[in-house]
Amino acid sequence: MVIKPVLIREDGRRVDGRLPEELRPIRITIGVLKNANGSALVEYGGTKVIAAVYGPREALPRHISIADRAVLRVRYHMAPFSTEERKSPAPTRREIELSKVIREALEAVVFTQLFPRTGIDVFIEVLQADGGTRTAGLTAASLALADAGIPMKDLVVGVAVGKVDGVLVVDINELEDQYGEADLPVGIAPNIGEIVLFQLNGVLTRDELKKALDMAFNASEQIYKVAKESLHRKYMKLIEEVKA
Ligand code: ADP
């Protein structure tokens, strides 16, 4: 029998000591891969995800190309070393589903019509998994697209809100995901105020859902700030190199 761990301590803090609305430490580095047109490494605490973007380039095989827009292809993949027990490198149903929902989220912001007949490939590789890999992956993918210079309506940031021991908490870790009552991964384009990814595992009341979404929007503002600073850092560095 599996014994469920206590997820909210007596002092109201979570298993890792965070308060309900506290994010894990976020670290973002832009342009980490030389051979990609754009790339980003995103860390939400112990979750580490890298995204690489290639394109717009010739869409191959040719028959996949579309006359009036670019084809966006997304591959979400967990590295075999990203989990405690080795994960098979072959794509699982979960990875195929996540590739699709992340693609749809990105399609909501990328101006694909600017690049007819081309392909834009987005590779998301989970290096270390500790909950929230699809949301960190979505953030990384949108930053890699921005780094590749692909025009978008807005950046997209992902965050998962969960319900653990009856309490709503943001940016859930693996333990909270595994033993919590519900989890709500969302993708938000903060400037245009749109939700571009919305999934729910478990059950939330209408009031809880409303509160969870408010918490997700607040969290997305914080993640967006770090994301914007990381893009700024890369381009300021580039400008200094050109000047020198
Ligand atoms: P997300 O990573 O977006 O939260 P899930 O809710 O499916 O997606 O997974 C929650 C967590 O469970 C992951 O972040 C990861 O830490 C762990 N996990 C998922 N799939 C596997 C797997 N095949 N092997 C081991 N751990 C996994």
Side-chain angles (χ1 to χ4, degrees):
M1 197 180 81
V2 183
I3 299 170
K4 179 185 156 303
V6 172
L7 295 174
I8 299 289
R9 303 185 325 207
E10 272 180 20
D11 62 1
R13 289 187 181 262
R14 298 155 65 179
V15 272
D16 54 11
R18 279 185 289 158
L19 290 167
E21 298 221 29
E22 199 175 328
L23 296 169
R24 290 175 285 183
I26 301 170
R27 284 166 51 120
I28 299 177
T29 318
I30 307 292
V32 285
L33 300 174
K34 182 172 78 61
N35 294 336
N37 295 116
S39 58
L41 172 65
V42 170
E43 298 174 43
Y44 289 3
T47 288
K48 297 175 199 259
V49 185
I50 199 164
V53 166
Y54 294 82
R57 61 185 178 182
E58 188 181 3
L60 289 175
R62 276 241 179 91
H63 68 84
I64 67 153
S65 75
I66 301 174
D68 60 357
R69 66 176 176 90
V71 181
L72 198 61
R73 283 189 293 193
V74 174
R75 186 185 89 141
Y76 161 99
H77 183 251
M78 282 177 113
F81 54 81
S82 65
T83 53
E84 232 163 275
E85 265 185 39
R86 180 181 183 275
K87 185 210 145 270
S88 155
T92 59
R93 282 173 65 108
R94 174 180 169 277
E95 287 169 306
I96 294 166
E97 177 212 322
L98 294 191
S99 301
K100 177 177 180 284
V101 293
I102 294 172
R103 172 174 55 75
E104 288 169 349
L106 296 171
E107 276 173 346
V109 292
V110 174
F111 287 109
T112 51
Q113 66 277 21
L114 294 178
F115 307 103
R117 296 190 186 283
T118 67
I120 300 171
D121 292 310
V122 181
F123 297 93
I124 298 167
E125 194 70 22
V126 178
L127 305 177
Q128 188 170 282
D130 185 15
T133 62
R134 82 193 65 192
T135 44
L138 179 60
T139 305
S142 97
L143 284 165
L145 284 162
D147 186 37
I150 292 172
M152 290 184 283
K153 281 193 227 168
D154 196 358
L155 282 178
V156 173
V157 297
V159 68
V161 179
K163 184 178 166 188
V164 300
D165 291 352
V167 179
L168 293 173
V169 296
V170 292
D171 186 25
I172 49 173
N173 62 31
E174 184 174 316
L175 215 59
E176 292 173 327
D177 184 292
Q178 204 177 339
Y179 294 102
E181 295 99 78
D183 83 276
L184 175 78
V186 290
I188 293 174
N191 280 322
I192 56 174
E194 271 181 34
I195 295 175
V196 293
L197 181 150
F198 183 98
Q199 296 184 293
L200 172 64
N201 288 314
V203 179
L204 292 177
T205 65
R206 185 181 283 255
D207 283 349
E208 282 169 344
L209 179 62
K210 194 170 168 302
K211 179 159 186 234
L213 282 176
D214 281 347
M215 288 166 81
F217 270 95
N218 279 340
S220 74
E221 297 285 343
Q222 293 175 53
I223 301 168
Y224 179 72
K225 191 163 168 273
V226 181
K228 219 167 64 176
E229 281 165 7
S230 64
L231 279 170
H232 195 248
R233 217 172 23 249
K234 172 176 170 187
Y235 286 96
M236 287 313 289
K237 199 167 151 228
L238 215 65
I239 290 168
E240 274 159 29
E241 278 168 14
V242 171
K243 274 198 204 151

